[in-house]
Amino acid sequence: MLKHLLSLILTCFVIPAFATQADTSAYHLQRLKVNALLAERSSRFGQYDESLSKRTGIFGLQTKQDIKNSNDILRQIVLNDNNIFKELKILMDYKDQQYQQVQRTAADMNSRLENYRASIKKLQDENERLKQDTGGSDWRSIGLVAFFALIISWIVFFYKFNRKGRPVT
C-alpha cells in the first residue's frame, strides 16, 4: 500500500511539471523576442547617431534630407519602442500567470498533503482500534480452540474404546 501511495504522490508532482515546462518555453520564446527587439532598437540608435553626424550640405551643414532621414530613423525607434512595450506586457503577463500557477499548485499540493495526512491518521487510528478489538478476542479464540480440541479428543477417545474399555479394531 505504501508503494501505491508513493507512486500516487510522485505522479501528482510529475504531471504539473510538464505543464510548467510548456509555460516556461513560451516565456523563454517571449524573452527572446523582446531581446531581439532591444537589439534592433540598439542598432537603430547607432543609425540615428550616424545620421545626426551626417552633414551633406554646403559648408558641412545638415540638409533637409539629412534631417528627414534622422527623423525617419527616430520614428522607427519609437515604433520599435511601442512594440517592445507590447511584448514586455505579454512577458509580464506570462510571468504573472506562472506566479499564479505556482501559487495554485502550492495550495493544491498543501491540500493534498493535508488530505493524505488525514487519511494516514484515520487508517492508523482504525488499525489501532482493530488491534485492540482483536487483542481481547485472542483469549476467546484460544478458549474456543481448546474447547473444540477437548471435545474432539473426547470423541476420539470414546470411539477408540468401546464402552467395555477395549479398543475397537
Side-chain angles (χ1 to χ4, degrees), residues 17 20 94 96 138 146 152 160 169:
T20 305
Y94 275 135
D96 291 342
D138 281 345
I152 290 172
K160 189 162 180 128
T169 55

Side-chain angles (χ1 to χ4, degrees), residues 4-23:
H4 295 293
L5 182 63
L6 288 175
S7 64
L8 179 65
I9 290 172
L10 286 175
T11 304
C12 292
F13 285 114
V14 169
I15 290 174
F18 287 126
T20 305
Q21 186 177 10
D23 288 344

